[in-house]
Amino acid sequence: GINAEYGNKSAQSHEMNETEVRRQLQNMVAFIKQEAEEKASEILVKAKEDFAIEKARLVQAGKRRIAKDFDAKEKQVEVQRKIAFSNELNQSRLSVLKARDDCVQQILHEALERMSEISTPGPAYESLLLALLTQGLAKIGESDVTVVCRKSDVSMVEKVLPQAVSAAREKSGNSELAATLTSKFHLAPARAEANGGDACSGGVLLSAMGGKILCNQTLDARLALAYKQKLPDIREQLFGANPNRKYKD
């Protein structure tokens, strides 16, 4: 009877131990599972945070790159705009300068055309030839001078040459001064529609020492000299004062 009772108690005790062990195992499994879930949750949260940080970093880097590219393109567009504006401004200035030069050249051309009126045979042109000869002979600084004129002016030059030599001798102080009108060659004829080559509006050309010294007293040369000297004043009268011009002759 005692052995039977002990056996029953042992069986009950063994059954309780298995139940306890199973319960403890279940608790351990539950704990491990909870730990794993918490760890997994932490990893997931950390991953989301890292993803959000990396995403924000990439977005900011992308924005900076886009802004940098935009600034570069904006600067390039601005440079191209300035270049285009500068080219257009230069073209405009060149057009204005060309228009002004054409206007001045037209005035010079009209002056050349009107000089034919000055060299019309008569007392006024004879007086002009006398003045041109006197000035040239005194200026050339030589004693033996050759005078060249247009074929149409030969008679008038022959008429005033002696008086011009006399006046030049007195003006220069050179009593040995002598001048000869050459018949070997002449200056070009007056401008005319039929005359398509070189033309001369009148006046004389003085030569000394075999042509080594020249004094151009033609009306064309005097006009060119006056044009060069008076060009700034002509431009000012036509187009107004130049604000960039600091000095006046």
Side-chain angles (χ1 to χ4, degrees), residues 28-160:
M28 290 177 64
V29 168
F31 176 77
I32 292 171
K33 184 177 180 182
Q34 183 179 355
E35 284 286 322
E37 287 177 351
E38 290 177 357
K39 191 67 176 176
S41 178
E42 289 178 4
I43 292 172
L44 182 61
V45 169
K46 183 69 167 59
K48 288 182 177 179
E49 289 177 354
D50 291 345
F51 172 77
I53 292 171
E54 181 65 14
K55 179 182 177 182
R57 187 188 68 80
L58 292 174
V59 169
Q60 289 299 321
K63 286 181 178 179
R64 286 194 296 269
R65 185 172 62 253
I66 292 172
K68 185 178 180 180
D69 292 343
F70 178 80
D71 289 342
K73 290 186 180 296
E74 190 176 33
K75 289 179 181 178
Q76 184 178 6
V77 169
E78 181 64 16
V79 169
Q80 291 176 347
R81 187 191 68 79
K82 288 181 178 179
I83 292 174
F85 176 76
S86 178
N87 290 337
E88 186 176 348
L89 184 62
N90 287 336
Q91 288 298 324
S92 176
R93 286 174 177 170
L94 289 174
S95 297
V96 171
L97 290 175
K98 185 179 183 305
R100 289 184 174 185
D101 185 64
D102 290 345
C103 182
V104 172
Q105 290 299 321
Q106 179 62 29
I107 292 174
L108 178 61
H109 176 73
E110 291 178 4
L112 284 170
E113 292 295 326
R114 292 177 61 182
M115 283 219 289
S116 60
E117 302 172 7
I118 299 175
S119 58
T120 301
Y125 185 43
E126 284 185 8
S127 296
L128 179 58
L129 286 173
L130 175 60
L132 291 171
L133 282 166
T134 302
Q135 184 186 55
L137 290 171
K139 183 179 178 182
I140 200 167
E142 295 294 325
S143 298
D144 186 11
V145 182
T146 300
V147 179
V148 186
C149 68
R150 298 186 304 183
K151 203 168 186 177
S152 58
D153 295 341
V154 169
S155 60
M156 284 182 288
V157 173
E158 286 179 337
K159 180 179 179 181
V160 299

Side-chain angles (χ1 to χ4, degrees), residues 139-207:
K139 183 179 178 182
I140 200 167
E142 295 294 325
S143 298
D144 186 11
V145 182
T146 300
V147 179
V148 186
C149 68
R150 298 186 304 183
K151 203 168 186 177
S152 58
D153 295 341
V154 169
S155 60
M156 284 182 288
V157 173
E158 286 179 337
K159 180 179 179 181
V160 299
L161 185 55
Q163 185 180 351
V165 171
S166 178
R169 285 175 179 172
E170 184 177 350
K171 190 173 182 179
S172 64
N174 182 5
S175 59
E176 297 181 0
L177 175 62
T180 305
L181 177 62
T182 181
S183 59
K184 294 180 180 179
F185 38 83
H186 300 90
L187 296 176
R191 285 174 178 76
E193 293 183 4
N195 177 21
D198 293 336
C200 177
S201 300
V204 291
L205 176 67
L206 307 182
S207 171

